[in-house]
Amino acid sequence: SGPAPPKGTSIRWMKYRGPGAVTFTTASTDGVYAKPTESATTATFSAPGSYVLRAIASDGYLESVRTFTVTVK
C-alpha cells in the first residue's frame, strides 16, 4: 500500500504563550484537496495580558506557522 492520498490544507489554532486560557470557536479546520482553505475563529481569553497565538497550516507533508501577538485589556 502506498502513501495516503492528500487531504488538503488544514489550519489549527493554538495558544503559545499567555497568562490565561484561550478558547477558540474553531480550533482547527479540515482541508479539502484542491480547494482553497479559509479559517475563521473567535478567541476568548480568560484573563487580561499579552498572548501569543499560532496558526499552523499543514497539507500533511509541509507546515507553515504564523504567530500573532494579542493584547487583552
Side-chain angles (χ1 to χ4, degrees):
S1 141
K7 294 180 181 179
T9 304
S10 63
I11 300 173
R12 180 171 43 106
W13 286 92
M14 63 177 279
K15 176 190 120 177
Y16 183 65
R17 292 187 182 135
V22 180
T23 304
F24 298 96
T25 56
T26 305
S28 64
T29 61
D30 293 328
V32 178
Y33 183 67
K35 299 283 186 188
T37 301
E38 294 183 12
S39 178
T41 190
T42 300
T44 303
F45 302 88
S46 67
S50 182
Y51 292 81
V52 179
L53 308 179
R54 286 195 169 160
I56 303 165
S58 173
D59 67 359
Y61 299 105
L62 300 172
E63 286 188 347
S64 180
V65 178
R66 295 294 183 257
T67 302
F68 303 91
T69 301
V70 177
T71 302
V72 178
K73 295 183 179 190

